Amino acid sequence: MSAHTVEFWFEFASTYSYPAAMRIEHLAAQHGCDLVWKPFLLGPILRAQKLDNSPFNIQPVKGRYMWRDVERTCAELEIPLVRPSVFPRNGLLAARVACAADGAPWLSAFVRNVYSANFAHDLDISQPDVVLGCLESVVSDPQAVLALANHDQTRAQLRSNTDEAIRFGIFGAPSFLVGQELFWGNDRMEQAMRWSHR
Amino acid sequence: MSAHTVEFWFEFASTYSYPAAMRIEHLAAQHGCDLVWKPFLLGPILRAQKLDNSPFNIQPVKGRYMWRDVERTCAELEIPLVRPSVFPRNGLLAARVACAADGAPWLSAFVRNVYSANFAHDLDISQPDVVLGCLESVVSDPQAVLALANHDQTRAQLRSNTDEAIRFGIFGAPSFLVGQELFWGNDRMEQAMRWSHR
């Protein structure tokens, strides 16, 4: 990891990860930061806190606020938002594909496609055909990538990422790591990038 | 309420309300916003969500992050932070004094004094002598204000504020209201002020 590396920890079900994913590559280029994309699962982390659902569903008053806040955030960034008919959606398969990418150049475009599917087109990203659709414009052989996503090694990589997230004190998404320094939330992205230049 | 009024909803125990309180008057002047200071209690709101303590104490991983994040926030704003030896502190009496002020010009200086006592000097703001100390530099008769703070009418005003907060969907502090539009968190202050000019 270079001095100016920012790790972007994201979960495909996470609302605030959507605007973060859509803008991070551009912002990292502006800040001269190297970006490392780190897919992980929030479910096991929430279950360890004895939460069996999104905190936004468990606390309706917070959920109502979150949806309005995300709506304002997306409007400011001029990115479309259609509230998903199912929330949170299961991002396991898409996260495995992101692990299978192993940092390939097409990863960021795939990640944006998945977030757009979930939060702009209300598609069920747990379904293989939806994930295939997100791969079609970014790789030449989507079926091969999907097969690789289901390999034991890829599954183990995703579990390892999630374990690593827990060790770094990550409890929500999106999160940013600069060395050991943790930043949580789309609204901390600029601060994380400034931090990488300290 | 004028078109450019921003209501600042604050709770003296709340960590993120500290940097918010220290900077809001200056920022409101810069943005040409009228500011209304709204003291309320978070305790009854958390208890209605079946939380009997600060979420930052209930979830240690979130609490560790919060203290580090507040530390970074205060460092950026160049305001001192000493982690209170007791958290959360009981801000009931100070909140009643803030209600007793009834919008008087000294209110903002008193609020800043209480936050400094709690978060810069590690003083027990539940104690009448500490609250008196916060009043001494801002009013001519601190004892009279303290007596007024304990009147039934003042207590009822604080309960009414807290009930109003619940009606507006407030669930944390600091919060900002612009008309019916709710913003939560110190990091939403600028957005709330811009919103007041729409």
Side-chain angles (χ1 to χ4, degrees), chain A residues 66-140:
Chain A
M66 178 275 286
W67 286 111
R68 177 63 181 143
D69 188 50
V70 169
E71 191 174 56
R72 287 188 306 234
T73 299
C74 291
E76 281 204 351
L77 296 170
E78 298 183 348
I79 59 176
L81 175 73
V82 172
R83 184 169 165 174
S85 49
V86 175
F87 175 81
R89 280 216 168 92
N90 183 338
L92 175 64
L93 178 60
R96 283 178 179 161
V97 170
C99 286
D102 196 24
W106 55 265
L107 172 59
S108 61
F110 167 73
V111 170
R112 286 189 293 269
N113 284 350
V114 176
Y115 278 110
S116 293
N118 193 3
F119 292 106
H121 304 298
D122 192 21
L123 294 172
D124 183 356
I125 58 165
S126 73
Q127 296 303 311
D129 61 326
V130 171
V131 175
L132 275 174
C134 295
L135 279 168
E136 268 160 16
S137 62
V138 301
V139 295
S140 56

Side-chain angles (χ1 to χ4, degrees), chain A residues 16 49 51 59 61-62 65 68-69 72-73 76 169 171 181-184 187-188 191 194-195, chain B residues 16 49 59 61-62 65 68-69 72-73 76 169 171 181-184 187-188 191 194-195:
Chain A
Y16 287 104
Q49 296 168 28
L51 298 173
Q59 292 177 259
V61 68
K62 209 164 176 173
Y65 173 78
R68 177 63 181 143
D69 188 50
R72 287 188 306 234
T73 299
E76 281 204 351
F171 55 89
E181 198 75 22
L182 176 62
F183 300 85
W184 172 48
D187 44 23
R188 292 294 187 277
Q191 190 185 17
R194 291 195 304 272
W195 197 272
Chain B
Y16 288 104
Q49 296 169 28
Q59 291 178 260
V61 69
K62 207 164 178 174
Y65 173 78
R68 178 61 181 143
D69 188 49
R72 288 189 305 235
T73 299
E76 281 203 350
F171 56 88
E181 197 75 22
L182 176 63
F183 300 86
W184 172 48
D187 43 24
R188 291 293 187 277
Q191 190 184 17
R194 290 196 304 273
W195 197 272

Side-chain angles (χ1 to χ4, degrees), chain A residues 4-11 14-37 73 77 79 111-112 115 173-178 181-198, chain B residues 65 69 72-73 76 187-188:
Chain A
H4 301 155
T5 296
V6 174
E7 291 183 356
F8 174 46
W9 290 77
F10 60 97
E11 144 75 72
S14 147
T15 48
Y16 287 104
S17 295
Y18 167 48
M22 301 310 273
R23 70 194 189 96
I24 194 168
E25 202 164 55
H26 182 67
L27 202 77
Q30 283 183 330
H31 281 75
C33 299
D34 291 329
L35 202 53
V36 178
W37 297 72
T73 299
L77 296 170
I79 59 176
V111 170
R112 286 189 293 269
Y115 278 110
S175 289
F176 311 93
L177 266 175
V178 181
E181 198 75 22
L182 176 62
F183 300 85
W184 172 48
N186 173 55
D187 44 23
R188 292 294 187 277
M189 189 188 290
E190 286 82 352
Q191 190 185 17
M193 292 189 180
R194 291 195 304 272
W195 197 272
S196 76
H197 285 279
R198 282 164 63 106
Chain B
Y65 173 78
D69 188 49
R72 288 189 305 235
T73 299
E76 281 203 350
D187 43 24
R188 291 293 187 277

